DNA sequence: AAAGAAGGGAAGATTG
DNA sequence: GCAATCTTCCCTTCTT
């Protein structure tokens, strides 16, 4: 991203915030998120968000939701990206290679549901099915409309006889409560990876990075209205993840 | 009232 | 054979 382009994006944000200032009901305490977002882009100019990610998501938030404004700005800047719906993704892109990973060279281990979910959460193609709410705390949320699609893919990955549904997958998730690997939190369709699972599955370099917000969403906010932000956020993270891996 | 989401008991299936 | 890990079915309760 050149300086001129950064200026343009910055200007788009400023314009968007000016609109927000004129219409909001005082939600501007979240301005630091915008700054962090810019910091990420500035610090890693080859990483950029993809506005197309949120084309498939529900748009039920108020017009002047601050995140909507931010995303509008990003969308404006990155215009030209083409919406890629779930229908356009081939099955090969979505279905993970069947089961099994090597473990220390001693035999194979079955792919577990939480591993599949965590892996899929880092796949930008899956934002229409579920997404991070707070990536550093391991909180994620299913998208009501496409949650069964994700379950179906999980079922296919496992090679189940019958079609997997969200209801059945949620039953498996409830079983995780006993082991504590994944717990349900009070929000609709929202779950939480345990610290131990996160440490096991998350890239270690990620956990220490302060460019990621310690909290994407304030507790009293409506998670369901954050799809746009999270879609872009997830996509940006995925790019960052890939590039970091490459750099290392 | 209806639909969706959530919780859980119980039995079955698969796998290491 | 056994334990772990789901999967499947079904019922109830709660929320929107």
């Amino acid at each position: 991203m050149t300086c001129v382009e950064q200026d343009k994006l910055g200007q788009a944000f400023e314009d968007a915030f000016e609109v927000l200032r004129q219409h909001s009901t005082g939600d501007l305490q979240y301005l630091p998120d915008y700054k962090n977002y810019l910091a990420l882009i500035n610090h890693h100019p080859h990483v950029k968000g993809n506005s197309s990610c949120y084309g498939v998501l529900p748009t039920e938030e108020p017009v002047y939701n601050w995140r909507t404004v931010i995303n509008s700005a990003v969308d404006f800047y990155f215009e030209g990206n083409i919406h890629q719906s779930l229908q356009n993704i081939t099955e090969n892109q979505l279905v993970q290679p069947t089961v099994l990973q090597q473990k220390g060279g001693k035999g194979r281990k079955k792919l577990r549901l939480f591993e599949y979910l965590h892996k899929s959460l880092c796949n930008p193609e899956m934002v229409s099915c579920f997404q991070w709410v707070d990536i550093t705390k391991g909180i994620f949320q299913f998208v009501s409309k496409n949650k069964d699609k994700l379950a179906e893919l999980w079922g296919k990955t496992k090679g189940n006889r019958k079609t997997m549904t969200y209801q059945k997958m949620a039953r498996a998730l409830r079983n995780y409560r006993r082991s504590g690997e994944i717990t349900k939190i009070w929000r609709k369709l929202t779950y939480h990876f345990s610290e131990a699972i996160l440490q096991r599955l998350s890239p270690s370099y990620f956990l220490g990075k302060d460019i990621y917000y310690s909290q994407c969403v304030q507790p009293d906010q409506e998670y369901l209205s954050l799809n746009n932000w999270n879609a872009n956020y997830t996509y940006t993270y995925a790019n960052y993840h890939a590039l970091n891996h490459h750099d290392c």
Side-chain angles (χ1 to χ4, degrees), chain A residues 105-122:
Chain A
K106 294 180 180 177
R108 291 158 182 271
K109 193 171 183 271
K110 263 195 303 182
L111 179 67
R112 299 201 47 203
L113 175 57
F114 69 81
E115 291 170 335
Y116 176 81
L117 291 176
H118 192 275
K119 199 172 168 183
S120 298
L121 276 162
C122 296

Side-chain angles (χ1 to χ4, degrees), chain A residues 52-99:
Chain A
S52 66
C53 287
Y54 38 85
V56 294
L57 297 167
T59 54
E60 50 205 45
E61 59 259 74
V63 176
Y64 292 109
N65 173 294
W66 72 277
R67 286 182 175 88
T68 308
V69 174
I70 288 174
N71 281 314
S72 299
V74 177
D75 205 14
F76 175 77
Y77 179 79
F78 293 122
E79 65 184 352
N81 287 320
I82 299 163
H83 161 240
Q84 185 181 30
S85 70
L86 200 61
Q87 290 75 28
N88 294 333
I89 303 169
T90 66
E91 208 153 85
N92 288 340
Q93 285 175 280
L94 283 172
V95 178
Q96 310 289 334
T98 330
V99 206

Side-chain angles (χ1 to χ4, degrees), chain A residues 5-246:
Chain A
E5 287 169 330
Q6 283 179 28
D7 284 348
K8 275 187 188 174
L9 178 57
Q11 187 57 52
F13 273 112
E14 291 298 337
D15 292 347
F17 267 89
E18 187 50 41
V19 173
L20 180 61
R21 274 186 203 101
Q22 288 167 16
H23 295 88
S24 77
T25 53
D27 200 17
L28 295 179
Q29 66 270 32
Y30 301 110
L31 198 61
D33 279 0
Y34 146 63
K35 287 178 180 167
N36 281 336
Y37 191 91
L38 277 189
L40 170 64
I41 291 171
N42 288 338
H43 196 249
H44 302 279
H46 38 318
V47 178
K48 68 178 186 177
N50 183 353
S51 61
S52 66
C53 287
Y54 38 85
V56 294
L57 297 167
T59 54
E60 50 205 45
E61 59 259 74
V63 176
Y64 292 109
N65 173 294
W66 72 277
R67 286 182 175 88
T68 308
V69 174
I70 288 174
N71 281 314
S72 299
V74 177
D75 205 14
F76 175 77
Y77 179 79
F78 293 122
E79 65 184 352
N81 287 320
I82 299 163
H83 161 240
Q84 185 181 30
S85 70
L86 200 61
Q87 290 75 28
N88 294 333
I89 303 169
T90 66
E91 208 153 85
N92 288 340
Q93 285 175 280
L94 283 172
V95 178
Q96 310 289 334
T98 330
V99 206
L100 316 186
Q101 57 189 20
Q102 294 290 341
K103 197 180 183 183
K106 294 180 180 177
R108 291 158 182 271
K109 193 171 183 271
K110 263 195 303 182
L111 179 67
R112 299 201 47 203
L113 175 57
F114 69 81
E115 291 170 335
Y116 176 81
L117 291 176
H118 192 275
K119 199 172 168 183
S120 298
L121 276 162
C122 296
N123 178 359
E125 315 282 7
M126 303 298 275
V127 292
S128 59
C129 299
F130 70 152
Q131 56 205 270
W132 290 112
V133 168
D134 185 335
I135 193 167
T136 61
K137 288 183 176 169
I139 298 172
F140 63 99
Q141 183 181 46
F142 293 95
V143 174
S144 183
K145 195 175 153 191
N146 293 322
K147 61 187 188 306
D148 277 312
K149 182 72 186 172
L150 175 73
E152 202 177 316
L153 292 170
W154 163 241
K156 280 182 183 169
T157 300
K158 283 290 294 289
N160 293 344
R161 287 173 299 123
K162 295 192 172 181
T163 304
M164 177 57 71
T165 62
Y166 173 79
Q167 202 179 24
K168 290 191 277 184
M169 190 174 71
R171 183 69 191 90
L173 287 173
R174 286 198 294 276
N175 286 334
Y176 281 140
R177 271 220 308 204
R178 270 179 295 177
S179 60
E181 286 158 322
I182 293 178
T183 50
K184 180 79 183 64
I185 68 170
W186 74 102
R187 292 281 174 180
K188 191 173 146 188
L189 302 172
T190 308
Y191 294 81
H192 180 207
F193 285 109
S194 74
E195 190 77 19
I197 294 301
L198 277 181
Q199 281 177 15
R200 204 172 110 194
L201 299 176
S202 297
S204 56
Y205 61 82
F206 167 74
L207 291 172
K209 298 278 183 185
D210 58 3
I211 58 168
Y212 294 104
Y213 327 127
S214 60
Q215 197 167 8
C216 292
V217 184
Q218 299 302 307
D220 58 342
Q221 282 189 291
E222 178 56 68
Y223 284 177
L224 289 175
S225 68
L226 299 178
N227 289 329
N228 287 359
W229 170 263
N230 286 324
N232 193 60
Y233 176 69
T234 302
Y235 189 87
T236 305
Y237 161 64
N239 278 341
Y240 178 71
H241 179 282
L243 287 162
N244 249 336
H245 250 312
H246 188 261

